């Protein structure tokens, strides 16, 4: 009857399960609750990342290259004083709020100094150009 002596902690168990699932989905490439959705495409000239960031303006977003990572971070500009005074009683709250962050490992063929970005209608588009030597090219055949 050893099992009767063990302490049952449903809250701790639930926290452990949440942590386990969060780690699994983050390593599987699925964004977490503090992340955002993206589409990534490859073309002959380079790569394109389109990120959904509704409610964020261009000045709220920071894009940087750190070693071999592209980091995209969106900062929410909420005043904590205003938030305390005007905090509503939420019935349903599904939209993401607060700071969001996501990073991507850059392929070796990306020209790190040539990253460009634009924001339109809540969608951030990041263009990553390929290095000239990585782009496809044609080879002329000599005739003898």
């Amino acid at each position: 009857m050893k099992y009767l002596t063990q302490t049952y902690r449903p809250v701790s168990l639930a926290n452990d399960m949440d942590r386990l699932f969060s780690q699994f989905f983050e390593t599987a490439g699925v964004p977490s609750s503090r992340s955002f959705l993206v589409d990534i495409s490859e073309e002959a000239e380079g790569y394109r990342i389109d990120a959904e960031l509704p409610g964020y303006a261009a000045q709220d977003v920071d894009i940087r290259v750190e070693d071999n990572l592209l980091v995209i971070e969106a900062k929410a500009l909420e005043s904590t004083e205003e938030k305390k005074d005007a905090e509503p009683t939420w019935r349903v709250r599904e939209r993401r709020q607060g700071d969001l962050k996501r990073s991507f490992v850059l392929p070796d063929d990306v020209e790190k100094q040539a990253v460009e970005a634009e924001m339109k209608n809540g969608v951030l588009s990041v263009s990553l150009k390929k290095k000239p030597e990585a782009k496809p090219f044609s080879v002329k055949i000599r005739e003898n």
Side-chain angles (χ1 to χ4, degrees):
M1 297 246 190
K2 184 178 180 181
Y3 63 90
L4 291 177
T5 61
Q6 292 179 342
T7 306
Y8 178 65
R9 300 174 302 175
V11 173
S12 176
L13 178 62
N15 289 341
D16 291 344
M17 292 298 288
D18 285 345
R19 191 170 27 259
L20 175 69
F21 281 112
S22 291
Q23 289 172 350
F24 171 76
F25 284 118
E26 286 178 14
T27 58
V30 177
S32 70
S33 63
R34 287 285 156 221
S35 188
F36 46 86
L37 300 175
V38 298
D39 290 334
I40 301 175
S41 59
E42 180 179 3
E43 300 169 354
E45 296 296 314
Y47 303 90
R48 182 182 171 116
I49 299 174
D50 292 320
E52 288 185 355
L53 294 169
Y56 293 87
Q59 64 266 20
D60 302 334
V61 180
D62 177 44
I63 302 171
R64 61 188 180 278
V65 176
E66 298 175 356
D67 295 323
N68 206 31
L69 286 179
L70 175 73
V71 180
I72 302 173
E73 202 167 359
K75 301 269 188 191
L77 300 175
E78 297 177 356
S79 170
T80 54
E81 291 301 318
E82 289 176 15
K83 192 176 178 182
K84 287 179 186 175
D85 294 339
E87 184 67 30
T89 302
W90 294 102
R91 302 293 184 221
V92 176
R93 190 169 190 185
E94 296 177 343
R95 297 182 354 194
R96 291 192 169 101
Q97 305 290 321
D99 297 345
L100 305 176
K101 182 177 181 180
R102 193 140 180 215
S103 58
F104 305 90
V105 176
L106 293 173
D108 292 334
D109 61 350
V110 168
E111 187 71 51
K112 294 178 185 177
Q113 306 302 322
V115 177
E116 296 177 355
E118 69 175 344
M119 186 91 154
K120 185 176 180 181
N121 297 329
V123 177
L124 173 70
S125 296
V126 180
S127 298
L128 306 162
K129 295 188 185 333
K130 289 183 180 178
K131 295 177 182 175
E133 62 270 14
K135 294 177 186 173
F137 60 93
S138 297
V139 176
K140 289 204 171 216
I141 302 171
R142 291 181 293 169
E143 290 187 41
N144 289 331

